[in-house]
C-alpha cells in the first residue's frame, strides 16, 4: 500500500472520529479545505486541520478562528491574495499550540492508543476552551480590540502581520475607533519597515478609501 493511500485512510478515519462531535456544535465538514466550519451572522467560525506523515508517524496541527465578513470584504480588495482564496480567509486564527503557549506543538499519532488519545484531547480542548473562544471572537468589538489594542506589537491571532495592518485599520474604521489616525500611522510605519513597496501602495489606497467610507 503506498503512502498516499495510507495517508488518505488515516485522514478518513480521523475525521470520522471527530465528525459527530463537531456536527453536534453546528459545524459542517469541508473536505477540500480540511476544516469544520459553522456559518454565523457575521461570517464563519472554523477549525482547520493540517495532517502530515513521516516514517509511519502522523502529525496533526489544529488551527481555529473566525471570519468577520464586513472586515474581509474591504481588506481583501487591497491584499494580494488570489481571488479564489479571498472568500475563505480568516480574520483571526490561532493554533491550539499557540493558544496554550506551547511552542512548536503538534499532536503525534503512531498507534491506535495515541489515535484515541489525540482525538479525545481535541474534543476536550474545544469543549473546555475552543468553542468558548470562537463564540467570544465572533464580534467586531473583540476583533477590533485584538487587532488594535497593541498596534506596535505582533498580534498572536494573525499569522501574517502585514495583513494584520490592513484588517486592523478596517476594523478600526468600521468600529469608529477614535484613535484611527494614530493606528493608521503605526501600521504605515510597520509596513515601511516590513512590507514591500506594493504593500505600502495598497495600504495608502486602503486609507484613502476608508477616509471616504461611511459604514452607514
Amino acid at each position: 500500500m503506498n503512502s498516499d493511500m495510507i495517508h488518505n485512510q488515516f485522514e478518513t478515519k480521523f475525521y470520522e472520529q471527530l465528525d459527530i462531535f463537531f456536527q453536534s456544535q453546528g459545524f459542517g465538514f469541508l473536505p477540500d479545505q480540511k476544516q469544520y466550519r459553522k456559518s454565523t451572522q457575521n461570517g464563519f467560525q472554523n477549525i482547520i486541520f493540517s495532517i502530515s506523515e513521516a516514517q509511519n508517524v502522523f502529525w496533526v496541527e489544529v488551527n481555529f478562528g473566525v471570519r468577520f465578513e464586513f472586515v474581509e470584504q474591504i481588506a481583501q480588495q487591497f491584499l494580494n491574495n488570489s481571488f479564489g482564496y479571498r472568500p475563505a480567509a480568516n480574520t483571526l486564527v490561532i493554533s491550539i499550540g499557540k493558544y496554550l503557549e506551547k511552542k512548536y506543538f503538534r499532536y503525534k499519532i503512531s498507534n491506535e492508543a495515541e489515535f484515541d488519545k489525540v482525538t479525545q484531547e481535541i474534543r476536550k480542548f474545544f469543549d473546555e476552551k475552543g468553542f468558548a473562544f470562537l463564540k467570544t471572537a465572533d464580534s467586531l468589538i473583540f476583533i477590533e480590540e485584538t487587532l488594535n489594542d497593541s498596534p506596535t506589537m505582533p498580534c498572536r491571532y494573525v499569522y501574517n502581520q502585514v495583513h494584520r495592518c490592513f484588517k486592523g485599520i478596517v476594523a478600526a474604521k468600521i468600529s469608529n475607533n477614535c484613535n484611527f489616525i494614530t493606528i493608521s500611522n503605526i501600521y504605515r510605519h510597520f509596513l515601511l519597515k516590513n512590507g514591500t513597496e506594493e504593500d505600502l501602495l495598497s495600504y495608502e489606497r486602503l486609507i484613502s478609501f476608508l477616509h471616504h467610507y461611511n459604514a452607514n
Side-chain angles (χ1 to χ4, degrees):
M1 190 183 289
N2 69 33
S3 63
D4 280 351
M5 275 180 73
I6 293 167
H7 192 105
N8 290 341
Q9 283 183 357
F10 175 86
E11 285 201 357
T12 302
K13 185 181 171 188
F14 181 80
Y15 293 126
E16 277 175 359
Q17 192 73 12
L18 294 172
D19 216 49
I20 291 170
F21 173 73
F22 283 117
Q23 298 236 16
S24 72
Q25 296 292 328
F27 288 82
F29 186 51
L30 303 179
D32 294 350
Q33 299 187 44
K34 315 277 191 202
Q35 64 177 260
Y36 285 91
R37 186 185 288 181
K38 175 161 121 177
S39 293
T40 64
Q41 206 177 339
N42 300 320
F44 62 67
Q45 302 171 7
N46 60 351
I47 296 115
I48 310 153
F49 294 89
S50 305
I51 300 172
S52 54
E53 184 243 343
Q55 295 158 335
N56 298 324
V57 176
F58 288 91
W59 298 92
V60 181
E61 186 174 29
V62 187
N63 280 276
F64 57 108
V66 297
R67 175 187 175 91
F68 199 90
E69 194 63 43
F70 210 13
V71 170
E72 293 302 321
Q73 275 188 354
I74 298 173
Q76 290 297 327
Q77 293 175 54
F78 297 89
L79 291 170
N80 57 0
N81 288 329
S82 66
F83 282 105
Y85 171 76
R86 289 178 186 185
N90 276 60
T91 308
L92 302 180
V93 67
I94 192 167
S95 68
I96 288 181
K98 210 170 175 189
Y99 187 87
L100 298 173
E101 296 182 344
K102 294 180 180 179
K103 261 192 168 177
Y104 313 118
F105 173 82
R106 290 180 300 169
Y107 294 103
K108 176 183 174 234
I109 300 176
S110 58
N111 56 46
E112 201 67 39
E114 284 179 351
F115 180 90
D116 291 339
K117 182 170 173 277
V118 165
T119 49
Q120 191 177 342
E121 277 180 18
I122 291 169
R123 289 194 293 266
K124 186 169 185 272
F125 171 82
F126 281 98
D127 264 341
E128 293 178 358
K129 295 185 172 78
F131 290 136
F133 170 79
L134 290 172
K135 199 172 175 186
T136 305
D138 185 32
S139 84
L140 183 58
I141 293 169
F142 182 90
I143 287 166
E144 202 274 327
E145 285 178 356
T146 300
L147 292 171
N148 296 327
D149 263 10
S150 304
T152 59
M153 302 293 291
C155 176
R156 70 196 286 250
Y157 295 99
V158 181
Y159 282 109
N160 187 320
Q161 297 303 317
V162 166
H163 289 192
R164 177 268 190 99
C165 298
F166 287 76
K167 297 179 188 204
I169 205 59
V170 171
K173 176 66 178 183
I174 62 181
S175 305
N176 296 313
N177 187 320
C178 58
N179 296 316
F180 175 83
I181 301 293
T182 306
I183 293 166
S184 71
N185 288 335
I186 290 168
Y187 290 151
R188 180 181 290 111
H189 183 67
F190 175 87
L191 292 169
L192 273 164
K193 283 175 69 179
N194 303 284
T196 63
E197 203 175 324
E198 189 190 348
D199 292 330
L200 205 56
L201 284 168
S202 295
Y203 184 73
E204 295 305 346
R205 280 176 38 237
L206 171 60
I207 295 298
S208 173
F209 171 84
L210 292 175
H211 276 309
H212 301 101
Y213 178 77
N214 186 344
N216 307 318

